[in-house]
Amino acid sequence: MAPLEPVYQLKCSCNSYPWGRQGEKSAAARLCAKQPGWVDQKDVSKPFTIEDKPYAEMWMGTYPTPPSYVASTGENLQDLLDRHADELIGNPVIEKFGSSMLPFLPKVLSISKALPLQLHPNKDLSSKLHEKHPDQFTDPNHKPEIALALGEFEAFCGFKPLEQISKLMHLDPLKKYMPSIIKPDFDDQQLKAVVKKMLEADDESVKETYKAITSLSEQEFGPDTYIPKLAPRLAEQYTEADPGLLVALITMNYLVLQRGESIYIPADGIHAYLSGDIIECMARSNNVLNTGFCPRSERDNVDLFISCLTFTPHSGEEAMLKSDSFDRSKEHKTIRFAPPMSEFDMLQTTLKGGEKESLGAVKGPGILLATEGSAKMKANGKEVELTEGQVFFVAQGTALEFEAGEEGLLMHMAYVE
């Protein structure tokens, strides 16, 4: 068992899904491979090695599938936190969330093709789904999340402004998806009906619409000239008959983020990530409803999906999560992403070679990732060599100091207080 410390280096896991990036092209896999192996009960080292297959997500934290382990001992991180809950999590956080489990789940995602068109159900629905179908919905929590770009990152996120969607729906190939009773002003209820019709359309109808819209000129799409260019790429990844094509291209915001930019996805918020490497963090949950960009057999019930659909954000600008200053950053080299939720904030520290930063203690626990570069790190005075790919659990009340190596440092830390 690990003794009580201000920080613990972790051993994390990287999973493989078809939408992940192949082998060494995956940032999630490259970072995971730079972590140390640990010694298990049989004294056998278990390093992670990259194979020629797609790697999608590196998970960091205490979600049980997959968990993180203390690198020096192989102990499950949650077991350590249960044993020293007051010292490592802190009583205020335990009282706030009702347990010694971390209320957030950070990941690194590497995306080569569109993830399923999806939403993460709200707490009330998640609780009901978990009770009825615990194998599919493995917890009773909601899952609002942020995605922070490590480079160029493409995503469909939330709905376009109603006026913009309304103009597109007047194109001849799309008129059949309008509700039978048309109001003078296109509103969210009509949009809900449009999305429902698109998701329920049979394969031939979707394929027919796809061929019709890709035959139109770019000018007919107004400001959305990307639609006929992006449609063939999505069809190649899935099929021309996938209803996610229509919902995403016609009704949703298509965003191209650059390094350091972030979006916020609320509970019940429709989204589909397309490509890029990102830091993702969410409330501690793995619940999801999928209705597109996946085989028909893997799609969830359309009525259920539509029933909890939220209409926020309603523009690309509303989806963006701006950073602000972190008031405990001594050298002002750290910014904070603070989504409108209680489970976590995210810090990003950027240092050039030799630069220093000091971060005052927070009142709750954190998960820290050396995303790029290296540094000498002090945690309440304890010195640690921080190198690219290393992940640390940071105990509540721990002050951190960094001195970057020659190549600089990019560090991300999710925390709660």
Side-chain angles (χ1 to χ4, degrees), residues 10-25:
L10 302 180
K11 174 66 180 176
C12 305
S13 299
C14 187
N15 59 30
S16 176
Y17 292 122
W19 53 260
R21 286 186 161 170
Q22 196 75 11
E24 292 281 352
K25 294 179 181 178

Side-chain angles (χ1 to χ4, degrees), residues 1-5 8 70 72-76 79-80 83-84:
M1 294 189 297
L4 199 58
E5 301 279 3
Y8 296 87
V70 178
S72 60
T73 64
E75 182 179 12
N76 189 308
D79 293 340
L80 173 69
R83 197 166 65 251
H84 297 294

Side-chain angles (χ1 to χ4, degrees), residues 20-83:
R21 286 186 161 170
Q22 196 75 11
E24 292 281 352
K25 294 179 181 178
S26 169
R30 293 197 308 271
L31 290 169
C32 195
K34 292 181 179 181
Q35 298 176 31
W38 71 81
V39 178
D40 69 8
Q41 293 175 347
K42 297 180 180 179
D43 293 332
V44 178
S45 183
K46 293 183 176 179
F48 173 83
T49 55
I50 300 176
E51 302 173 11
D52 186 22
K53 64 180 184 179
Y55 290 98
E57 304 171 318
M58 181 175 79
W59 290 40
M60 301 166 279
T62 58
Y63 203 83
T65 53
S68 296
Y69 298 88
V70 178
S72 60
T73 64
E75 182 179 12
N76 189 308
L77 175 60
Q78 188 59 64
D79 293 340
L80 173 69
L81 299 184
D82 290 342
R83 197 166 65 251

Side-chain angles (χ1 to χ4, degrees), residues 148-150 259-261 333-337 346-350 410-413:
L148 174 58
L150 297 177
R259 180 182 173 93
E261 293 184 317
K333 303 289 185 182
T334 300
I335 56 176
R336 181 185 68 153
F337 294 88
M346 176 70 72
L347 300 181
Q348 176 177 281
T349 299
T350 307
L410 177 65
M411 183 277 291
H412 293 94
M413 186 171 83

Side-chain angles (χ1 to χ4, degrees), residues 281-303:
C281 194
M282 61 208 65
R284 187 185 184 277
S285 177
N286 196 33
N287 294 327
V288 64
L289 295 171
N290 299 324
T291 55
F293 298 145
C294 59
R296 185 174 290 276
S297 62
E298 297 176 12
R299 297 173 199 166
D300 289 293
N301 180 274
V302 171
D303 287 331

